[in-house]
């Protein structure tokens, strides 16, 4: 599959409000064509096209960083809020805590489960966002060097490795903490009150969460697994950043 088609699939599989935040791959590709054509014709337009290419490339990186850092900040805040909600629920079901009405408790717990799974899913999508855009940059720069005779790829990628959108360590850590929370909280919730059949039904409904987020997250996780498996090198020029162990890919898929 050609990269342009693969990229369109990745964009379609993410959240609708994220879809204009990805690399301007088609526009960059068109500029490369203009540069190559102008060079063959010895036209002065090649210089303008080259400048436009660099300008758009830098604008895309600024776009990646602004979006990634905004999402990262939101996730840090949401992570803290979810921890506080979990703590309150744990206190509620404890022997010394007030005993809520069964219906009220069930509804709140189901909402908490759903919010945790959605939170996990959106963070995984952000890791995939970083991978997809990094890969797009590597691909378009390789195409630029090949068709224009330039040597832009190596120095530009070295710069990209220091950009905020490339650094997914914090988000990956939050993903793993969220998975640990699910392992810790969900079994405890299941053991509390009510019959097992009812609890199991509520769990299944909660794990589905928002269907679009779940579906897109699974697609993103499969993509990350495939990209790791298919990569034959460990060069930052060809291997996208991936800080989530393969076990987390399978773990999330198995939640449904």
């Amino acid at each position: 599959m050609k990269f342009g088609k693969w990229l369109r699939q990745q964009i379609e599989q993410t959240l609708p409000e994220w879809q204009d935040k990805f690399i301007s791959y088609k526009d960059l590709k068109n500029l490369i064509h203009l540069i190559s054509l102008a060079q063959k014709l010895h036209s002065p337009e090649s210089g303008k096209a080259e400048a436009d290419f660099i300008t758009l490339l830098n604008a895309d990186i600024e776009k990646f960083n602004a979006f990634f850092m905004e999402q990262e900040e939101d996730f840090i805040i949401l992570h803290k809020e979810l921890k506080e909600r979990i703590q309150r629920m744990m206190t509620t079901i404890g022997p010394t805590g007030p005993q809520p009405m069964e219906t009220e408790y069930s509804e709140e717990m189901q909402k908490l489960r759903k919010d945790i799974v959605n939170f996990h899913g959106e963070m995984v999508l952000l890791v995939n966002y970083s991978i997809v855009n990094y890969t797009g940059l590597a691909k378009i720069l390789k195409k630029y060097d090949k068709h224009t005779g330039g040597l832009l790829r190596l120095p530009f990628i070295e710069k990209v490795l220091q950009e905020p959108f490339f650094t997914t360590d914090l988000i990956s850590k939050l993903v793993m903490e969220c998975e640990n929370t699910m392992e810790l909280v969900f079994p405890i919730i299941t053991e509390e009150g009510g019959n097992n059949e009812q609890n199991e039904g509520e769990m299944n409904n909660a794990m589905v969460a928002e269907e679009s987020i779940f579906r897109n997250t699974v697609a993103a996780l499969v993509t990350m697994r495939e990209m790791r498996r298919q990569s034959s090198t460990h060069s930052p020029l060809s291997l996208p950043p991936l800080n989530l162990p393969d076990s987390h890919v399978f773990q999330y898929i198995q939640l449904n």
Side-chain angles (χ1 to χ4, degrees):
M1 182 187 301
K2 290 186 177 181
F3 180 77
K5 183 177 180 180
W6 177 86
L7 177 61
R8 286 195 299 273
Q9 288 183 351
Q10 293 300 309
I11 294 174
E12 290 169 358
Q13 289 172 352
T14 194
L15 301 177
E17 61 268 28
W18 291 21
Q19 292 183 2
D20 62 345
K21 309 300 182 184
F22 285 78
I23 185 170
S24 308
Y25 187 81
K26 184 176 181 180
D27 292 338
L28 289 165
K29 185 178 176 181
N30 288 339
L31 284 171
I32 291 174
H33 177 72
L34 289 177
I35 296 167
S36 177
L37 181 61
Q39 287 178 340
K40 290 177 181 177
L41 298 174
H42 302 286
S43 169
E45 288 297 313
S46 65
K48 181 181 182 303
E50 288 174 3
D52 289 344
F53 179 87
I54 297 297
T55 297
L56 181 54
L57 206 59
N58 284 321
D60 270 356
I61 291 176
E62 290 180 8
K63 175 175 64 179
F64 303 157
N65 286 335
F67 176 74
F68 187 90
M69 290 188 292
E70 179 182 6
Q71 293 299 313
E72 189 176 59
E73 183 177 352
D74 288 346
F75 289 153
I76 291 170
I77 295 171
L78 184 55
H79 180 250
K80 181 180 178 182
E81 292 175 350
L82 285 172
K83 287 175 66 177
E84 291 173 351
R85 286 174 60 189
I86 291 168
Q87 184 59 44
R88 287 197 298 269
M89 294 302 293
M90 291 301 189
T91 302
T92 299
I93 65 177
T96 61
Q99 298 303 310
M101 295 180 60
E102 183 175 348
T103 301
E104 179 185 347
Y105 172 78
S106 177
E107 290 176 353
E108 178 59 28
M109 192 56 72
Q110 186 168 342
K111 186 175 185 302
L112 178 58
R113 292 172 183 148
K114 179 179 177 179
D115 289 346
I116 291 172
V117 175
N118 282 347
F119 176 57
H120 177 274
E122 289 188 15
M123 288 193 296
V124 171
L125 289 177
L126 188 62
V127 175
N128 191 58
Y129 172 85
S130 172
I131 290 173
V132 169
N133 285 300
Y134 171 83
T135 305
L137 287 172
K139 291 285 187 180
I140 203 67
L141 287 166
K142 181 179 180 180
K143 189 177 292 289
Y144 177 92
D145 285 3
K146 177 180 178 181
H147 291 280
T148 70
L151 296 174
L152 189 59
R153 186 184 182 209
L154 181 58
F156 213 96
I157 287 295
E158 287 178 346
K159 174 187 173 184
V160 167
L161 298 182
Q162 308 304 318
E163 298 291 344
F165 87 91
F166 181 86
T167 309
T168 61
D169 291 352
L170 176 58
I171 292 297
S172 297
K173 180 182 177 182
L174 290 179
V175 169
M176 288 185 279
E177 287 183 10
C178 190
E179 290 175 353
N180 292 334
T181 297
M182 285 190 279
E183 290 180 358
L184 176 66
V185 175
F186 290 167
I188 292 176
I189 293 171
T190 304
E191 292 170 4
E192 296 300 323
N195 59 62
N196 290 335
E197 183 177 348
Q198 178 183 358
N199 284 326
E200 183 178 352
E202 291 177 357
M203 177 68 76
N204 289 337
N205 291 335
M207 297 311 294
V208 171
E210 295 290 346
E211 183 181 353
S212 61
I213 293 179
F214 183 86
R215 182 178 62 251
N216 295 341
T217 303
V218 170
L221 286 163
V222 170
T223 295
M224 288 188 279
R225 181 190 62 186
E226 290 300 312
M227 291 177 73
R228 166 176 280 189
R229 187 179 69 181
Q230 292 175 11
S231 178
S232 60
T233 73
H234 295 281
S235 166
L237 294 178
S238 57
L239 184 65
L242 180 55
N243 299 314
L244 297 178
D246 287 340
S247 60
H248 292 135
V249 174
F250 295 109
Q251 180 179 357
Y252 192 84
I253 293 174
Q254 291 168 355
L255 289 177
N256 184 28

